[in-house]
């Protein structure tokens, strides 16, 4: 008979959610794609724990929870942001499979890099799903996914935990979430790019932008407005996707993430390329970023 | 088919097709015809679409296709639509709405703004089919229209934090139904007891883009009969729509 592992959240952290690779294909009904914001980190965590890459994980934001493991032993792995994880007060390695014995406590400390960490646990997660995904949906219309937003005292059951341990690929232990020094976020022009003044475009591309405190799973708002934005009217509501950079009438840029609405009325100056979406997920309030403008043909093989 | 269209990139894995930028059922029906035809012609390449009033985003899998290829598919599809004039119409739903002042939180604001009696406003709201232009804002929220000029009402200056699930509301020449309790800035005219979004059903969404909706007025006792029936499982949505 398969053993089970029971996780008990002695504290919830700032925002801890259950996420998988998201629910694509329902955006015509207003449902965001959602899922782990740093999808590569979530897949890596699962692979290291011996799971299918699309298995749910915990997405941990800036400040981590305290999680007690009971039941059988299991394999976990932690990827993405470095939030100083430890098992029973002993620092735990990132990007490596870790054996967890019954009764052990996983906790987190200081945020050293990135914004979002991912914890995979070997086995089958006993969680609800909706429209093909068990990802939390914070604007949950149905309330069936309310347990996907972790609260203090909550328990989570994972069955058949005896996963096979994957060997970490070479060099993977150095992979940490967040922008590397001098790394720019690559964008291509958005539908309204040419409607912006030369001054606004220069400001967008040359300035060092700061992520404001107004950051969530829906998007990142940039602190200072662009110069030279003269938008008189909003657009007739039209599609937006994760990565769309909207500019409000006041000139503020908002970079949309996985839980964003599917339509909006703001001008779309640019879109972040797919390959840089995971990097974007690791930007936290106060971080600075620069944009690098490419055209669609330059990114064919990225 | 279209006199005017423009195709741009919406990121590296979606294209945006824009028609003449105005709100009309004629232009919106082009959006839904194109959506339908592209899904039929190239469904295997398409990951998602986002139809809106006068634009359609088409998301593709960049692992198996390129923007050039999808752009050609869109252009060819648009050309064919000219000849075939394919029609994609949605379903028609009659939705019971209770316009009692207990639910119609903005009754006074609307009657004052429009200088009409509430009974006149109700009969206008129940007197025509509304077209579902798009679904957006929150999961399952239908943007419908167009309202006649007489009852055109501006949005609230300060949006509410808690608009009850099932609230039917109007803003400018649009109307909508809140699928779940959420913030909202539209004027509330009544409430439907029917779930327009429910996980109890195989398709959780009652309304889809391009559907037609007719409101029918019900009184408070009928509202409670339907509401209680659905809650207790004595009634199902299929009792209303087959």
């Amino acid at each position: 008979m398969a053993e089970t592992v029971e996780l008990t959240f002695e504290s919830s952290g700032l925002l801890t959610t259950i996420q998988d690779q998201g629910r694509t294909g329902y955006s015509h009904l207003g449902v965001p794609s959602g899922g782990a914001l740093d999808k590569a980190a979530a897949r890596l965590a699962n692979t290291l724990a011996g799971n299918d890459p699309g298995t749910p994980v915990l997405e941990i934001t800036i400040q981590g929870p305290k999680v007690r493991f009971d039941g059988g032993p299991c394999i976990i792995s932690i990827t993405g942001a470095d939030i100083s994880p430890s098992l029973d007060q002993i620092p735990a390695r990132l990007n490596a499979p870790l054996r967890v014995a019954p009764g052990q406590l996983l906790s987190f400390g200081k945020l050293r890099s990135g914004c979002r960490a991912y914890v995979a646990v070997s086995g089958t997660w006993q969680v609800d799903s909706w429209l093909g995904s068990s990802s939390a949906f914070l604007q949950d219309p149905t309330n069936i996914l309310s347990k996907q937003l972790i609260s203090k005292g909550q328990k989570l059951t994972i069955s058949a935990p005896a996963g096979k341990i994957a060997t970490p690929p070479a060099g993977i232990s150095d992979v940490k979430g967040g922008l590397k020094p001098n790394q720019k976020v690559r964008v291509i022009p958005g539908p309204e790019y040419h409607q912006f003044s030369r001054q606004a475009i220069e400001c967008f591309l040359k300035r060092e932008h700061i992520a404001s405190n107004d950051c969530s799973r829906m998007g990142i708002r940039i602190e200072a407005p662009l110069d030279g934005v003269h938008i008189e009217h909003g657009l007739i509501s039209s599609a937006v996707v994760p990565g769309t950079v909207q500019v409000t009438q006041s000139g503020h840029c908002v970079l949309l993430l996985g839980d964003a609405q599917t339509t909006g009325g703001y001008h779309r100056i640019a879109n972040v390329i797919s390959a840089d979406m995971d990097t974007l997920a690791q930007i936290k309030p106060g971080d600075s970023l620069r944009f690098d403008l490419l055209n669609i043909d330059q990114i064919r093989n990225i | 088919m279209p006199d005017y269209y423009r195709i741009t990139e919406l990121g590296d894995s979606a294209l945006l097709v824009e028609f003449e930028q105005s709100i009309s059922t004629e232009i919106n029906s082009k959006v839904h015809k194109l959506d339908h035809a592209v899904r039929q012609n190239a469904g295997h390449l398409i990951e998602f679409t986002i139809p809106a009033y006068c634009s359609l985003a088409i998301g593709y899998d960049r692992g198996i296709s390129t923007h050039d290829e999808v752009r050609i598919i869109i252009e060819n599809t648009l050309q064919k639509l000219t000849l075939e004039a394919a029609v994609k119409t949605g379903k028609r739903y009659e939705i019971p709405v209770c316009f009692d002042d207990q639910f119609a939180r903005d009754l006074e604001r609307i009657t004052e703004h429009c200088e009409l009696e509430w009974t006149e406003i109700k009969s206008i709201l129940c007197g025509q089919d509304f077209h579902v232009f798009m679904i957006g804002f929150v999961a399952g929220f239908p943007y419908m229209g167009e309202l006649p000029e007489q009852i055109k009402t501006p949005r609230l200056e300060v949006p509410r934090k808690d608009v009850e699930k099932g609230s039917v509301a109007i803003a400018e020449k649009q109307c909508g139904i809140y699928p779940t309790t959420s913030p909202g800035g539209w004027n509330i005219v009544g409430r439907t007891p029917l779930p327009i979004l429910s996980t109890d059903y195989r398709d959780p969404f009652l309304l889809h883009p391009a559907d037609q909706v007719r409101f029918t007025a019900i009184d408070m006792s009928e509202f409670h009969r339907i509401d209680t029936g659905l809650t207790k499982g004595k009634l199902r949505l299929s009792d209303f729509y087959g």
Side-chain angles (χ1 to χ4, degrees):
Chain A
M1 203 181 113
E3 284 188 272
T4 64
V5 174
E6 189 173 69
L7 277 60
T8 304
F9 291 87
E10 297 189 350
S11 67
S12 63
L14 186 63
L15 176 71
T16 302
T17 58
I18 296 173
Q19 300 288 346
D20 55 20
Q21 295 287 302
R23 44 179 76 79
T24 322
Y26 297 94
S27 44
H28 62 295
L29 298 168
V31 182
S33 52
L37 293 183
D38 185 343
K39 289 191 165 59
R43 286 194 298 265
L44 173 65
N46 272 318
T47 303
L48 293 169
N51 286 339
D52 180 273
T55 307
V57 291
L58 295 174
E59 181 179 274
I60 290 164
T61 318
I62 297 175
Q63 185 192 322
K66 280 196 174 78
V67 195
R68 200 179 65 238
F69 289 75
D70 293 307
C74 63
I75 307 296
I76 71 164
S77 73
I78 308 161
T79 62
D82 182 354
I83 320 183
S84 310
S86 62
L87 274 166
D88 287 345
Q89 312 295 328
I90 297 163
R93 286 175 62 199
L94 290 179
N95 306 314
L98 309 168
R99 283 179 194 280
V100 177
Q104 281 200 293
L105 186 74
L106 172 67
S107 56
F108 294 83
K110 192 171 179 288
L111 177 68
R112 291 208 184 103
S113 76
C115 179
R116 296 179 171 92
Y118 294 86
V119 176
V121 182
S122 59
T124 308
W125 291 46
Q126 305 299 316
V127 289
D128 290 324
S129 74
W130 186 57
L131 302 178
S133 165
S134 51
S135 288
F137 177 27
L138 302 183
Q139 290 75 46
D140 185 4
T142 59
N143 223 28
I144 66 157
L145 297 172
S146 56
K147 285 185 185 152
Q148 264 74 337
L149 170 60
I150 301 296
S151 55
K152 188 183 172 182
Q154 191 176 325
K155 291 177 189 299
L156 176 63
T157 303
I158 294 164
S159 61
K164 59 178 192 313
I165 300 182
T167 311
I172 207 75
S173 60
D174 300 331
V175 177
K176 279 184 188 156
L179 285 168
K180 294 175 189 72
N182 302 320
Q183 185 185 349
K184 290 181 177 178
V185 173
R186 292 166 292 181
V187 297
I188 62 170
E192 285 74 50
Y193 178 83
H194 296 288
Q195 293 181 29
F196 285 90
S197 68
R198 199 180 176 140
Q199 188 189 11
I201 296 288
E202 281 207 358
C203 188
F204 178 69
L205 295 175
K206 293 195 172 153
R207 186 188 280 175
E208 186 171 71
H209 302 279
I210 308 289
S212 74
N213 284 328
D214 192 359
C215 291
S216 70
R217 283 187 43 90
M218 295 178 74
I220 298 169
R221 193 179 163 95
I222 299 296
E223 192 76 59
L226 299 179
D227 299 332
V229 172
H230 314 288
I231 300 171
E232 286 183 14
H233 300 287
L235 303 170
I236 296 175
S237 282
S238 180
V240 291
V241 293
T244 297
V245 186
Q246 294 181 320
V247 181
T248 66
Q249 258 100 328
S250 60
H252 286 92
C253 293
V254 180
L255 285 69
L256 299 183
L257 299 176
D259 275 357
Q261 286 182 210
T262 53
T263 56
Y266 294 122
H267 286 61
R268 297 156 289 194
I269 194 170
N271 278 276
V272 176
I273 69 169
S274 309
D276 285 357
M277 286 306 292
D278 293 335
T279 305
L280 210 56
Q282 296 295 354
I283 290 175
K284 66 177 183 302
D287 283 353
S288 60
L289 67 155
R290 287 177 184 276
F291 295 110
D292 185 16
L293 186 75
L294 303 175
N295 69 51
I296 187 90
D297 295 309
Q298 288 171 298
I299 59 162
R300 182 152 294 175
N301 299 314
I302 299 178
Chain B
M1 173 186 71
D3 302 324
Y4 165 82
Y5 70 87
R6 178 176 91 123
I7 302 178
T8 56
E9 284 113 24
L10 186 67
D12 59 13
S13 38
L15 287 170
L16 181 74
V17 186
E18 292 171 294
F19 299 112
E20 186 195 321
Q21 292 298 292
S22 70
I23 298 177
S24 79
T25 47
E26 191 197 341
I27 293 170
N28 186 247
S29 71
K30 292 178 186 175
V31 171
H32 297 302
K33 280 179 194 175
L34 178 63
D35 186 8
H36 182 70
V38 167
R39 281 174 183 267
Q40 276 201 326
N41 294 350
H44 60 294
L45 303 177
I46 306 302
E47 289 206 317
F48 66 87
T49 62
I50 307 176
Y53 286 105
C54 33
S55 64
L56 177 70
I58 298 168
Y60 54 91
D61 181 347
R62 64 192 289 271
I64 55 174
S65 194
T66 64
H67 71 283
D68 288 331
E69 194 182 351
V70 177
R71 183 187 290 263
I72 290 166
I73 290 168
I74 293 168
E75 281 175 346
N76 288 343
T77 308
L78 282 167
Q79 295 314 315
K80 275 192 212 142
L81 284 182
T82 321
L83 302 170
E84 293 166 10
V87 179
K88 195 251 172 186
T89 47
K91 293 180 184 164
R92 183 174 181 275
Y93 294 95
E94 289 193 358
I95 293 187
V97 178
C98 177
F99 295 97
D100 192 281
D101 53 12
Q102 196 181 320
F103 293 145
R105 289 165 75 175
D106 296 305
L107 184 153
E108 270 182 42
R109 189 183 133 86
I110 301 164
T111 49
E112 272 172 30
H113 178 83
C114 304
E115 298 177 350
L116 290 170
E117 294 293 324
W118 188 238
T119 48
E120 292 174 282
I121 289 168
K122 277 197 292 189
S123 67
I124 292 169
L125 282 169
C126 296
Q128 69 170 93
D129 284 8
F130 294 116
H131 172 81
V132 179
F133 286 102
M134 58 182 268
I135 309 275
F137 167 54
V138 291
F141 183 96
Y143 284 83
M144 302 183 286
E146 282 199 317
L147 302 185
E149 196 70 36
Q150 309 145 270
I151 59 167
K152 183 179 163 187
T153 310
R155 284 175 178 78
L156 304 183
E157 276 160 30
V158 181
R160 290 191 175 91
K161 284 185 178 156
D162 58 329
V163 178
E164 289 287 333
K165 169 186 166 186
S167 293
V168 176
I170 65 174
E172 298 300 331
K173 292 172 85 173
Q174 310 299 306
C175 57
I177 308 172
Y178 288 83
T180 174
T181 300
S182 68
W186 291 22
N187 305 275
I188 303 168
V189 297
R191 196 182 296 176
T192 177
L194 295 187
I196 64 158
L197 195 160
S198 168
T199 46
D200 299 342
Y201 303 101
R202 198 166 156 199
D203 180 354
F205 302 91
L206 176 62
L207 299 173
H208 292 76
D211 284 345
Q212 303 294 315
V213 168
R214 170 75 70 123
F215 296 132
T216 55
I218 55 169
D219 62 18
M220 193 54 96
S221 66
E222 180 65 357
F223 179 92
H224 287 300
R225 188 189 71 81
I226 298 172
D227 190 38
T228 312
L230 287 164
T231 313
K232 293 191 172 166
K234 287 178 190 162
L235 281 174
R236 284 185 65 78
L237 213 46
S238 54
D239 297 330
F240 295 86
Y241 303 118

